[in-house]
Amino acid sequence: MNDTARLKKLTTLLQAADCPAIAFVPGPNFYYLTGVKLGLMERPTILIVTATGEMHAAIPALERDRWTAEVPQAQTIFWQDSDGYADALSRLAAQTGLSALAVEGNRMRHFEAAALAEAFGFAPTDGTTMLAPLRLHKDAEEIVKVERAVRISEQALEATLEVVKAGMSETEIRARLMIEMLERGADAPAFDLIVLAGGAAADCHGVPSADRRLKAGDALLFDFGAAVDGYSADITRTFFCEHVPDASRKLYETVQEANRIGREILQPGLSIHELDSAVQSHLADAGYADNIRHKVGHGLGLDVHEAPQLMVGNHQTLEEGMLITIEPGLYDPDVVGVRIEDDVLITADGARSLTTLPRDLRIVG
């Protein structure tokens, strides 16, 4: 991890926004800047980075040893549960001497922002928009980690498909997939794995059920991904059990072609608006306008969903180093759902799919 380069990216953003400092809580940005993974809990854990690159922190004392070893450059105030956090944050305010402060508004909870306001004597501002470019372009180390997460995910799916058969429940199949990922070196699933059968596959983010069992002719949708060193894979494939109804075949082939269109037009300079329009237009022109439920994709990295957001109206252009998903889908409520999702890196002269799983229609069971 190149902490110096990442810190420089942040300070450049702060200086461009004329913002003296920003506060972080544990999460992707916190980890990106420090290499330390901590969870959000009842104890406020605050990192402040100034526009000049100084790091200040208020950290629960139980994290002292790890924090001191990993982030020795931070000027840190440690506090004990028995003392509470109010005094530590007041000392942090005095130590930094700040008269203005931004926070990552899409991560920090209200009680942490309120505690900072009390300690600093003013209300922090929301720095979410300013931070959006921070992790937008992936470096070589990040790409390697995502590629490893993708390989583990793909191998785990193939192993799972070998045992899938009619009569298995969604949760039974999901459990097998999770075990296969962990046995291959995943730190954890990147998110709650989605395995949906039959009409349930039309629920874009449905919850697997022990009561729903795979039947002949059912779609079987997997939306899944492993996490490796904090970085996520996010892949979707849709299969059919034993045979494919004719209407489902046409739906699948339409989504497959939309996925191909999306991947093949990717290149630096292409506007996200144009990308989403091209993919969604293919789905709509095939007669499925009423079956479209979501945008074409999103950014991927430490967060499963991060910048850029791939949707109509976003005229930002693609740039080398962006890592995105291409995931067209069509959904007929309570009948069938099909989605095909790939993780794709924008390169200097086009794009490279990190996902290598076949996209052709496949029968299982």
Side-chain angles (χ1 to χ4, degrees), residues 3-55:
D3 294 342
T4 301
R6 294 179 179 186
L7 185 62
K8 177 62 177 175
K9 287 170 68 175
L10 175 58
T11 58
T12 298
L13 293 174
L14 288 168
Q15 291 166 13
D18 196 24
C19 179
I22 188 164
F24 299 94
V25 293
N29 286 326
F30 190 102
Y31 174 68
Y32 183 78
L33 294 166
T34 67
V36 177
K37 290 183 184 178
L38 297 174
L40 282 175
M41 51 185 174
E42 75 278 11
R43 302 177 180 94
T45 303
I46 305 294
L47 169 69
I48 293 177
V49 181
T50 71
T52 58
E54 293 180 355
M55 285 187 170

Side-chain angles (χ1 to χ4, degrees), residues 19 35 48 51 65 146 184 198 229-230 240 257 283 305 315 328 361 364:
C19 179
I48 293 177
D65 292 345
V146 175
R184 284 165 172 75
D229 290 338
F240 286 85
E257 178 63 11
L283 300 176
H305 284 227
H315 293 278
L361 195 153
V364 298

Side-chain angles (χ1 to χ4, degrees), residues 113-245:
L116 286 173
E118 179 69 21
F120 281 77
F122 55 83
T125 58
D126 185 2
T128 300
T129 300
M130 175 183 64
L131 282 175
L134 180 62
R135 306 193 326 264
L136 194 61
H137 304 92
K138 273 55 182 182
D139 60 32
E141 179 183 350
E142 292 178 287
I143 294 165
V144 166
K145 291 177 179 179
V146 175
E147 286 186 302
R148 183 163 175 242
V150 169
R151 294 289 85 75
I152 289 171
S153 303
E154 293 184 326
Q155 292 167 10
L157 179 64
E158 290 291 358
T160 300
L161 292 174
E162 290 179 5
V163 302
V164 165
K165 59 184 178 182
M168 293 180 71
S169 72
E170 293 170 346
T171 54
E172 188 179 358
I173 298 169
R174 180 183 63 176
R176 171 53 56 187
L177 178 59
M178 187 177 302
I179 290 168
E180 296 289 353
M181 288 199 308
L182 294 173
E183 287 183 343
R184 284 165 172 75
D187 297 334
F191 49 91
D192 289 339
L193 305 181
I194 297 173
V195 178
L196 300 171
D203 185 351
C204 300
H205 286 162
V207 178
S209 170
D211 297 326
R212 280 193 299 268
R213 295 187 175 274
L214 185 63
K215 305 185 302 296
D218 276 353
L220 179 61
L221 185 148
F222 292 84
D223 190 339
F224 69 107
V228 172
D229 290 338
Y231 286 84
S232 303
D234 185 9
I235 304 168
T236 305
R237 288 293 185 269
T238 308
F239 307 94
F240 286 85
C241 181
E242 298 185 4
H243 67 87
V244 189

Side-chain angles (χ1 to χ4, degrees), residues 1 10 51 63 71 76 112 116 160 166 169 180 187 189 202 246 306:
M1 177 182 294
L10 175 58
E63 307 291 357
V71 199
T76 304
E112 292 150 334
L116 286 173
T160 300
S169 72
E180 296 289 353
D187 297 334
D246 289 342
E306 60 182 46

